[in-house]
Amino acid sequence: WVVLPVYFVFFPMIERRPVDARSALPFLKPETRKDVLYLVQEFVNIIVAFFRGQIIIAFLQGLLFAVGFSLVGLRYGFVIGLMLGFLNVIPYLGSMIGLGMSLPIAFFQEGGGLPKLALVLLVFIIVQLIEGYVLTPRIMGERTGLHPLAILVAIFFWGINNQRDETAG
């Protein structure tokens, strides 16, 4: 928890410093060293763009959860929604912890029960659909330079392979 503010605030603002090509990888020929440094810098740029996109998506998803949970009357819904969104930077963690907290609160709070539980699940499903079909393709497309359709195809492909691997293992 102590490191998260550093990650969310300072790392996205870090300026890149140029690497001296002569001192880096001195055992390579100059033309090979230049190519390797270029590839490493491009890889780092893509990774940084990916994580910046993930942070933006997490913030927007948390905001959607917070507003949705507040609208359906979930106690502490705004805080739980923001937490759920930010924890979704780590796949499945936000969903597990957020649902693990919000569902019992929805069921046991005053005025709660099955209808409130269903509304919280509905908010969760709607936000997940918005994130999966709108936010991620658009934001990651802008950040990584990929077309949103390519990102959707990658999500479907990865999801299908991931499910196949989980059922096989």
Side-chain angles (χ1 to χ4, degrees), residues 11-169:
F11 280 167
M13 297 185 326
I14 291 176
E15 293 292 325
R16 296 183 325 175
R17 286 182 281 157
V19 177
D20 181 25
R22 285 175 263 141
S23 65
L25 306 170
F27 52 88
L28 294 175
K29 292 188 278 183
E31 56 273 356
T32 306
R33 182 173 43 233
K34 184 179 175 184
D35 290 341
V36 168
L37 285 175
Y38 172 76
L39 291 175
V40 167
Q41 286 174 344
E42 285 300 310
F43 176 75
V44 168
N45 290 341
I46 290 170
I47 295 297
V48 167
F50 173 79
F51 280 112
R52 285 181 180 167
Q54 282 296 103
I55 290 171
I56 292 169
I57 290 169
F59 173 74
L60 293 174
Q61 190 177 18
L63 199 59
L64 288 172
F65 277 124
V67 169
F69 288 159
S70 296
L71 287 176
V72 298
L74 181 67
R75 185 176 294 159
Y76 313 114
F78 195 82
V79 175
I80 292 171
L82 287 177
M83 182 187 68
L84 192 136
F86 280 116
L87 287 177
N88 270 333
V89 169
I90 302 168
Y92 306 115
L93 181 67
S95 299
M96 290 187 308
I97 292 175
L99 284 176
M101 289 175 59
S102 62
L103 292 180
I105 291 173
F107 189 76
F108 292 114
Q109 78 178 19
E110 186 177 329
L114 288 179
K116 185 78 68 183
L117 187 80
L119 287 173
V120 168
L121 282 174
L122 182 66
V123 167
F124 182 79
I125 290 169
I126 290 171
V127 171
Q128 290 293 342
L129 288 173
I130 290 171
E131 182 266 332
Y133 290 110
V134 178
L135 293 178
T136 298
R138 286 186 186 244
I139 291 171
M140 288 308 223
E142 290 174 8
R143 293 287 171 185
T144 60
L146 293 173
H147 192 277
L149 183 60
I151 294 173
L152 276 174
V153 169
I155 290 171
F156 283 129
F157 178 73
W158 181 81
I160 291 170
N161 283 340
N162 189 27
Q163 292 231 338
R164 193 177 323 145
D165 292 343
E166 287 176 3
T167 57

